[in-house]
Amino acid sequence: MVTIHRRPDTLAVGTLLATVGGYLDAYTFVRHRVFANLQSGNVLLFCVEATARHWHRAVLLLIPVAAFGVGVLLVEVLGLPRVLRLVRRPLRLVLTLQILLLAGIAAVPDDAPAQVTTVTVSFVAALQFSTFTSLRDAPYTTLAESGNLQKGIVAAHRWLSAREPAAARRAGQYALVIGAFVVGAVLGAVITRLVGAPAVGVASGLLAAVLALLIRQTRQLRRPDTAAGSASTPPTTP
């Protein structure tokens, strides 16, 4: 399977992304009493509203679900071989798009329709959910902690029962990601209550830090190859 993100995430990248996930969940809940990251809640509320024949509210709940689907499809399209030949840095493109969209929400007036925020955050969340899926040697998600909690508990049990060093390391990784999500949620709730709509700019800034880290990692990985290439190339006279 072709992907736009070929390297597993480092702990620094994973914890920053989990902080963003918690922050955005708290931001949308404090402002609009919805969770816009993942769509289980919206699907559930759609069913509730539809069974009560509140058709207008039910249809509105489908809009962020559709935005999430568009984000997932965009990442899939960017991973196609023929698209990869045209788009040189798809991962950087996705992160830059996330940063710009969240910065745009930060400039939206407080009285703007809630759908402007929830739909945009759902789209941004889909990009993050579909792109960042592996932490070192283990799968994870940066937007919801049920899966991380389950995997962390299993790893901790294996470490305690069988003394597997790898299991201990994985349990620690999941604990850090969960802790980062909690920190992000606390910061998101506090800052959103204090600042309002512009508070989402913090999440945009955190994603900018992720982009900078990934660019730095790419350059560091290329340095040995460059040095080896230089050593094998015979010196030329000017």
Side-chain angles (χ1 to χ4, degrees):
M1 182 175 121
V2 179
T3 177
I4 65 171
H5 188 27
R6 296 182 178 88
R7 297 195 308 267
D9 297 325
T10 62
L11 271 179
V13 169
T15 52
L16 277 174
L17 289 170
T19 304
V20 171
Y23 192 99
L24 289 177
D25 247 356
Y27 175 82
T28 54
F29 185 80
V30 170
R31 292 202 68 215
H32 305 297
R33 290 296 184 267
V34 296
F35 297 108
N37 272 359
L38 296 181
Q39 301 307 309
S40 300
N42 285 328
V43 173
L44 173 63
L45 289 174
F46 168 78
C47 296
V48 171
E49 297 292 356
T51 54
R53 297 184 180 181
H54 299 154
W55 303 117
H56 178 69
R57 280 184 278 182
V59 170
L60 288 178
L61 287 164
L62 289 180
I63 298 175
V65 176
F68 189 91
V70 171
V72 172
L73 286 175
L74 175 59
V75 174
E76 286 294 306
V77 169
L78 287 173
L80 294 174
R82 61 180 178 273
V83 178
L84 285 171
R85 287 193 290 268
L86 298 173
V87 182
R88 187 180 177 190
R89 305 286 189 185
L91 179 60
R92 297 183 190 183
L93 174 64
V94 166
L95 272 169
T96 301
L97 183 58
Q98 290 178 266
I99 293 164
L100 293 176
L101 287 173
L102 293 180
I105 297 177
V108 169
D110 280 332
D111 58 354
Q115 286 76 19
V116 174
T117 297
T118 57
V119 169
T120 305
V121 171
S122 293
F123 178 74
V124 168
L127 297 179
Q128 181 166 319
F129 181 76
S130 301
T131 305
F132 300 94
T133 59
S134 178
L135 181 67
R136 290 189 172 176
D137 59 348
Y140 82 130
T141 176
T142 60
L143 299 182
E145 296 314 303
S146 297
N148 294 333
L149 184 60
Q150 181 265 336
K151 292 179 179 65
I153 291 173
V154 169
H157 175 261
R158 289 178 179 172
W159 171 54
L160 292 173
S161 60
R163 297 298 177 184
E164 298 179 17
R169 178 168 52 80
R170 282 196 298 272
Q173 291 173 3
Y174 285 120
L176 283 173
V177 170
I178 293 169
F181 187 92
V182 171
V183 169
V186 171
L187 290 174
V190 172
I191 297 174
T192 302
R193 289 191 181 104
L194 291 174
V195 180
V200 76
V202 173
S204 182
L206 290 172
L207 287 174
V210 170
L211 178 58
L213 274 174
L214 291 174
I215 292 173
R216 181 185 176 191
Q217 289 169 10
T218 300
R219 289 175 178 173
Q220 288 176 337
L221 288 172
R222 285 183 174 178
R223 279 175 192 164
D225 296 336
T226 304
S230 300
S232 60
T233 303
T236 58
T237 56

